[in-house]
Amino acid sequence: MAPRRRKTEQTAPQARDPSPGGPGPVPEATRAKPSRSRAAPLATPARVGQCGLPTRPPRAQRRAVRDTREQEEDPPEEEDPPEEEEKPREERPTHKPTARGARASLRDTPARQLREVLTQLRLRLEEKSVAATAVNLLVNRLQRALQPTELRCSSKLGSGSYYERVKISAPNEFDVMFILEVPRIELVEYSNSGAYYFVKFKRNPKENPLNRFVENELLSASKMLLKFREIIKEEIKNITDIKVVMERKKPRSPAVTLLIKEPEEISVDIILALELRSSWPLKTTEGLPIKDWLGGKVRTELRRKPFYLIPKNAKEGQSFQEETWRLSFSHIEKDILNNHGDSKKCCETDGMKCCRKDCLKLMKYLLEQLKKKFEKRKELSEFCSYHVKTAFFHLCVKYPKDSYWNPEDIHLCFDECVAFFLERLRKEELQHFFIPGVNLFSQEYIDTKSKIFLAKQIEYERNNQFPIFSEF
């Protein structure tokens, strides 16, 4: 059995004379904690070189002695002055890539290059004026034509990218909602969808002009849309100021699409919308998550506004349910985009500027260009600018501060938008901004193959500094 070792007290090693092979250990005197006395530092033994002359001690030894002298010559410690209260510093964005495999993404692209793209996408004032004049003329004529009918509209509401001020390239697409007030109605959710509803009247007096559209106690969306189209079709025959034609009805589309042919072709979607001045549906309770971005007060004010129902068919297996109405919050989206800063003066004349809207325009342009490039393929047919806008809203919630969206960092901010959208595609999850239970990227709406295809194309563009921006 091995003898038990005695516990020995550890001591510092003794200093040795330096050997010719290199500097020796630092002298013990230099290791000790310096005292506050004025005593001279310990002397080091002189080295003797050739011809008996003293030589300089090794470098480590000289440095140690010098450090000891400096420490011993420090003045006595004084009480630290009271710390001044540190002023809050403006938050700076810390952009980190969130997508995998990015090699030469837009993080390596100068912001100047993106500004050049944005300049090309900017709407020309003269074109806007001409287009707005033609659209207003058409819309006013249609509204007057509806007044003597059962679908007499109380007002109209511009929605979509033009009125949100994020329209790109040309003022050639307009969306206008014709508002129909309906008193005391009851909503019956369709198939636990959260977004689609049947409409019933709580009380239905005989003089109700909408009685002719009621079937089995339900207000028929398909019948109302059909009548809406008929009235508009007859009215455009009487319009001679501008050349207007009606497009064929698209499956599931709630809009009547008109084309103004001159001087430039302009597409105008006219949408019939029921206005409800009541509490928002229960499935929207956790939606509109803007408390940390625009504030709880703004959220409360927005939820006090009316909401709308449009005649959009719900998908039912391989067919569609023609009597359903879909929730619409396009007016709230417009309010958010026009008042998008966490500070009230964001992007005002005398306020801090941000690049939020510019990033959204670039994202819309990216999807638009890809759809144009692969227009003969069906993989991108189900994607639209609403997916881009929804992802953008979620990213604004994730990064709510105006300072994060500094215009000087637009290349970083846009790259973050692209990375976030890619992440949503790969996870096949894009939560509806107002109805959290609805996943816009679920299999019900878009198949996995299409999402993989779009993600692959966006990743290619990102890794090669977006050559598609200079195409078409």
Side-chain angles (χ1 to χ4, degrees):
M1 182 174 179
R4 185 177 180 181
R5 295 184 179 180
R6 294 177 58 188
K7 187 175 181 181
T8 58
E9 185 176 350
Q10 293 184 349
T11 58
Q14 297 295 324
R16 297 175 308 199
D17 287 340
S19 62
V26 178
E28 181 64 26
T30 65
R31 296 175 182 266
K33 183 177 180 180
S35 65
R36 292 294 173 181
S37 67
R38 294 289 180 174
L42 296 176
T44 56
R47 297 178 67 193
V48 179
Q50 294 179 356
C51 303
L53 297 176
T55 62
R56 298 180 68 185
R59 180 180 298 174
Q61 219 169 349
R62 297 197 309 271
R63 185 184 298 114
V65 173
R66 184 175 67 249
D67 293 347
T68 304
R69 286 174 178 167
E70 290 176 355
Q71 290 175 342
E72 292 189 350
E73 290 175 2
D74 285 345
E77 293 183 359
E78 296 179 357
E79 292 186 4
D80 294 330
E83 294 184 1
E84 294 182 5
E85 185 177 352
E86 187 178 354
K87 296 181 180 179
R89 297 167 60 184
E90 185 179 9
E91 179 186 346
R92 292 292 301 166
T94 54
H95 299 271
K96 297 180 180 180
T98 54
R100 297 168 294 178
R103 296 183 298 278
S105 69
L106 267 179
R107 292 176 175 278
D108 305 316
T109 304
R112 175 181 53 80
Q113 184 172 332
L114 291 181
R115 293 193 188 99
E116 289 175 357
V117 175
L118 287 166
T119 299
Q120 295 173 4
L121 298 180
R122 188 177 301 142
L123 302 185
R124 275 51 176 179
L125 186 60
E126 183 179 352
E127 292 179 349
K128 287 171 60 178
S129 177
V130 171
T133 300
V135 171
N136 290 336
L137 175 64
L138 172 62
V139 168
N140 291 335
R141 287 288 301 268
L142 296 179
Q143 189 176 17
R144 286 197 298 270
L146 287 165
Q147 293 313 304
T149 72
E150 306 96 325
L151 304 182
R152 181 172 61 251
C153 296
S154 59
S155 60
K156 59 183 184 293
L157 178 67
S159 62
S161 58
Y162 179 82
Y163 298 99
E164 292 166 349
R165 300 176 187 175
V166 290
K167 185 73 181 74
I168 58 174
S169 302
N172 55 3
E173 292 179 352
F174 290 76
D175 301 297
V176 182
M177 296 170 66
F178 279 27
I179 308 303
L180 185 65
E181 292 183 3
V182 284
R184 299 184 62 79
I185 65 172
E186 177 186 352
L187 298 184
V188 180
E189 185 179 357
Y190 169 75
S191 187
N192 198 33
S193 63
Y196 294 90
Y197 293 82
F198 295 117
V199 174
K200 285 184 175 182
F201 286 104
K202 291 182 178 179
R203 294 179 183 176
N204 191 15
K206 293 181 180 180
E207 61 273 16
N208 184 350
L210 299 180
N211 271 341
R212 61 173 295 187
F213 303 113
V214 175
E215 281 189 356
N216 299 322
E217 299 184 345
L218 299 179
L219 186 61
S220 172
S222 59
K223 280 191 172 184
M224 289 187 67
L225 182 56
L226 180 61
K227 181 63 176 178
F228 190 62
R229 287 184 65 89
E230 288 176 356
I231 296 172
I232 293 176
K233 187 176 182 178
E234 287 301 314
E235 180 58 25
I236 62 174
K237 293 178 182 178
N238 303 323
I239 299 177
T240 56
D241 310 57
I242 51 178
K243 186 178 180 180
V244 184
V245 297
M246 178 184 290
E247 281 196 339
R248 295 183 61 182
K249 187 181 184 308
K250 300 174 184 176
R252 297 189 68 201
S253 173
V256 178
T257 302
L258 304 177
L259 293 179
I260 299 176
K261 289 294 188 177
E262 297 174 353
E264 298 290 340
E265 185 169 285
I266 302 171
S267 173
V268 185
D269 279 351
I270 308 295
I271 305 165
L272 178 67
L274 307 182
E275 182 180 76
L276 280 72
R277 294 184 175 274
S278 60
S279 298
W280 290 14
L282 187 63
K283 292 291 180 72
T284 68
T285 302
E286 300 300 322
L288 194 61
I290 59 173
K291 286 184 179 179
D292 294 333
W293 172 22
L294 304 178
K297 184 178 179 181
V298 172
R299 183 179 186 272
T300 300
E301 290 174 352
L302 291 176
R303 284 183 60 86
R304 285 175 179 165
K305 293 190 174 188
F307 64 98
Y308 299 98
L309 292 168
I310 60 176
K312 173 85 170 177
N313 304 149
K315 194 172 181 181
E316 194 172 54
Q318 298 300 318
S319 59
F320 304 108
Q321 172 51 257
E322 294 186 345
E323 306 311 325
T324 53
W325 299 78
R326 195 195 68 187
L327 295 177
S328 172
F329 300 96
S330 58
H331 60 307
I332 305 296
E333 294 163 7
K334 182 170 70 172
D335 283 348
I336 291 174
L337 284 172
N338 290 335
N339 302 279
H340 54 259
D342 74 308
S343 63
K344 291 183 179 180
K345 290 191 173 183
C346 181
C347 290
E348 291 186 2
T349 305
D350 57 342
M352 180 180 180
K353 302 295 186 291
C354 81
C355 63
R356 287 184 180 92
K357 281 192 173 182
D358 285 342
C359 286
L360 178 55
K361 289 178 182 178
L362 290 168
M363 287 298 298
K364 285 163 61 72
Y365 187 52
L366 171 61
L367 181 60
E368 180 183 289
Q369 291 291 84
L370 286 173
K371 285 174 72 73
K372 190 180 297 184
K373 181 177 181 179
F374 298 102
E375 61 183 347
K376 294 183 179 180
R377 302 189 58 150
K378 63 180 182 179
E379 285 91 345
L380 301 186
S381 61
E382 296 298 325
F383 291 100
C384 63
S385 61
Y386 191 75
H387 295 120
V388 168
K389 182 166 64 173
T390 300
F392 170 76
F393 280 153
H394 283 296
L395 194 62
C396 287
V397 170
K398 185 177 180 180
Y399 299 115
K401 298 297 182 184
D402 296 341
S403 55
Y404 188 89
W405 303 88
N406 190 327
E408 295 180 0
D409 297 330
I410 187 171
H411 56 304
L412 302 178
C413 295
F414 177 55
D415 188 72
E416 197 69 55
C417 291
V418 173
F420 185 77
F421 194 72
L422 282 170
E423 180 185 45
R424 297 298 91 207
L425 285 170
R426 293 191 180 106
K427 291 186 176 180
E428 299 189 72
E429 182 183 350
L430 181 60
Q431 195 177 62
H432 194 289
F433 199 66
F434 296 88
I435 316 168
V438 174
N439 177 13
L440 299 176
F441 280 170
S442 70
Q443 289 290 328
E444 178 185 356
Y445 297 110
I446 304 176
D447 61 76
T448 299
K449 181 181 177 182
S450 297
K451 283 170 278 195
I452 292 174
F453 180 81
L454 178 57
K456 181 180 178 181
Q457 300 307 321
I458 292 177
E459 191 68 72
Y460 171 81
E461 295 295 329
R462 185 185 186 215
N463 291 343
N464 292 276
Q465 299 189 17
F466 292 74
I468 202 167
F469 281 170
S470 59
E471 297 178 12
F472 307 106

